[in-house]
Amino acid sequence: MIASPPSAPTARASRPLPWLPPAVHAAVLLGGLYGGLVTDGTVRPARLAGFAACLLVLIALDRIEQRRCPPRTPPRPAALLLTVRLVLFAAAVALDRSGVSRALFVLVPITAFLAFGRRVGVALTVACTAAILLGNVLWVPRWYLRTDVVTDLLMSGLGLALAVAMAAIAVGEQAGRVRLADTLDELRESHGRLADYAARVERLSTARERNRLAREFHDGLGHHLTAIAVQLEKAAAFRDLDARIAERAIADARWSAGRALDEVRVSVRALRDEDTPFSLSSALADLVRHVDGGPARVTLDVSGEERGYHVESLTALYRAAQEGLTNAHRHADAHLVSVRARYGEDEACLVVADDGRGFAVGREEDGGFGLRGMRERVDRLGGRVEVEAAPGRGTRVTVTVPREPVGAEAVRR
């Protein structure tokens, strides 16, 4: 059984850069308090308290937003929160004497980018840069001649641009993690399905191999054991009447036992994937020669050329002949059994007919294990089995197999 991989935590519910706003707010709070305490040597408690209150409210908003909306704030609440933050940013800048609070506006494009997307983030970046430039134009006389103002303006624009770039990288990284998490989920599901398929294939393969071995034992050992039993009964019956016939029957029983042992060895070699040559014509002649002379006379007629036929097709015909002869001896009480094999260009046909008591097609005999196993074997090769029988009119079994079993050529390629 294939083990399922351990589940890995996904990043679907994570917020990009969750640490950045609280860190900026805390840094501005500390910087503003320090600047308010040391600037001009005078301390204005009311302004410091108002400034600190603005920053603490911003920190509280960050905490509430991240707790209430872990993955992403919906558009309407995000717009409201952004408006509130802009008001608090402006109030903090107005109350701050150190100027450090202007760094708060770096969070505007980042927040907009994460909440509303790239276009809104870039637009607000341009708007913030324009607002800073306009403020300098309106309230700072000859600002373009002051190095500190121009430098501050350039650094502000650069900071806003870097903020947008950082937000874009964070969003892209989060999207990549989400895609990776989705891919891992798909792989996990595929792995589970693959494990189920592998277990199902294993069960089906085991059942198929079990059925194949059952057919081999029934068609091979079953036939020879039946032949041995028939020959020993014949030897016992003629022991006192004709010693020559009894000895011939015992010799045929020995032959059947030897053949059974040979077929067991062939089956073992087949399980080891060892190719063994097989001639159907010779095997049928050998089979008929040792079966003939019992209660029924057996004839064989072979026409055509078997060269080029796949060994599985020839083996299926041989097993069908064994099954037909076994049924004729055990059940049919036949006096004459004919075996005919025809090799055509595309398919071969084997007919086993007897003049025994027959049976009604569709009854239990037609669905016995022997005929059922024969059909399974032939169907797997792409052939067909036809049974013609009637009570008192004998039985005729026709087996047709293709020269090349279904799928054999593709497997060989």
Side-chain angles (χ1 to χ4, degrees):
M1 184 68 69
I2 300 177
S4 299
S7 59
T10 63
R12 287 194 188 87
S14 63
R15 175 186 291 269
L17 305 175
W19 53 270
L20 183 59
V24 173
H25 292 152
V28 170
L29 176 60
L30 295 177
L33 291 176
Y34 177 78
L37 293 174
V38 300
T39 301
D40 298 333
T42 59
V43 178
R44 299 180 181 181
R47 296 188 65 171
L48 283 179
F51 172 78
C54 292
L55 269 299
L56 291 175
V57 172
L58 288 170
I59 293 174
L61 285 178
D62 294 336
R63 186 65 179 269
I64 294 173
E65 182 182 13
Q66 292 185 16
R67 180 173 296 180
R68 293 288 183 86
C69 306
R72 184 176 182 180
T73 306
R76 287 187 178 181
L80 178 60
L81 288 172
L82 181 59
T83 304
V84 173
R85 284 189 173 99
L86 287 174
V87 173
L88 292 173
F89 289 171
V93 170
L95 295 171
D96 182 23
R97 300 174 60 191
S98 65
V100 71
S101 58
R102 283 178 294 180
L104 292 173
F105 287 96
V106 175
L107 296 176
V108 174
I110 294 180
T111 304
F113 196 109
L114 299 179
F116 307 107
R118 182 185 302 272
R119 292 183 179 179
V120 177
V122 173
L124 283 181
T125 301
V126 175
C128 289
T129 305
I132 295 173
L133 177 61
L134 181 61
N136 287 313
V137 171
L138 295 177
W139 291 300
V140 180
R142 301 175 63 87
W143 62 272
Y144 49 86
L145 297 178
R146 294 180 55 179
T147 306
D148 58 336
V149 175
V150 174
T151 302
D152 184 66
L153 180 61
L154 292 176
M155 294 303 297
S156 298
L158 180 59
L160 290 171
L162 290 177
V164 172
M166 181 186 298
I169 294 173
V171 170
E173 190 268 342
Q174 185 199 36
R177 284 187 293 167
V178 171
R179 288 194 297 270
L180 177 61
D182 292 337
T183 302
L184 290 177
D185 288 343
E186 293 177 2
L187 288 176
R188 198 173 294 112
E189 293 177 3
S190 300
H191 189 278
R193 289 195 297 269
L194 179 60
D196 293 339
Y197 293 155
R200 191 179 307 172
V201 168
E202 183 179 1
R203 291 193 297 269
L204 292 176
S205 300
T206 302
R208 183 174 180 178
E209 185 63 16
R210 188 185 299 117
N211 292 334
R212 189 188 72 81
L213 291 176
R215 286 195 303 268
E216 292 294 332
F217 287 135
H218 178 274
D219 297 344
L221 291 178
H223 165 77
H224 290 299
L225 292 176
T226 299
I228 290 172
V230 170
Q231 296 298 339
L232 291 179
E233 290 177 1
K234 179 180 177 181
F238 283 90
R239 180 177 55 187
D240 298 329
L241 300 178
D242 192 329
R244 185 179 60 82
I245 295 178
E247 290 177 359
R248 169 69 185 278
I250 293 175
D252 289 339
R254 290 197 190 98
W255 178 87
S256 295
R259 286 292 298 170
L261 183 59
D262 291 340
E263 292 193 7
V264 169
R265 291 170 178 165
V266 170
S267 298
V268 172
R269 283 196 295 269
L271 290 175
R272 294 179 177 177
D273 293 332
E274 298 178 6
D275 295 332
T276 54
F278 178 74
S279 172
L280 176 60
S281 301
S282 300
L284 289 177
D286 204 14
L287 177 65
V288 169
R289 182 171 62 254
H290 287 84
V291 172
D292 190 24
R297 183 187 174 193
V298 183
T299 62
L300 174 64
D301 180 18
V302 178
S303 61
E305 175 59 51
E306 71 173 277
R307 184 181 304 168
Y309 273 87
H310 197 279
V311 64
E312 288 192 44
S313 298
L314 300 178
T315 302
L317 294 182
Y318 179 72
R319 295 303 188 194
Q322 283 184 317
E323 180 64 21
L325 292 175
T326 299
N327 289 337
H329 279 89
R330 294 179 59 185
H331 307 298
D333 294 332
H335 299 288
L336 177 63
V337 182
S338 64
V339 179
R340 296 196 299 274
R342 299 284 185 271
Y343 303 106
E345 293 183 1
D346 300 321
E347 60 183 20
C349 178
L350 177 81
V351 180
V352 180
D354 65 67
D355 60 355
R357 62 182 183 179
F359 61 91
V361 176
R363 291 178 55 193
E364 184 178 358
E365 291 88 344
D366 187 35
F369 184 80
L371 287 177
R372 184 168 68 249
M374 183 192 304
R375 284 195 172 95
E376 290 176 357
R377 182 193 298 272
V378 174
D379 288 344
R380 185 171 58 87
L381 302 177
R384 57 189 181 275
V385 177
E386 301 174 4
V387 179
E388 303 174 26
R393 297 186 180 180
T395 303
R396 178 188 179 94
V397 178
T398 304
V399 180
T400 305
V401 295
R403 177 184 290 269
E404 195 81 11
V406 175
E409 182 64 26
V411 171
R412 185 160 49 248
R413 286 199 299 267

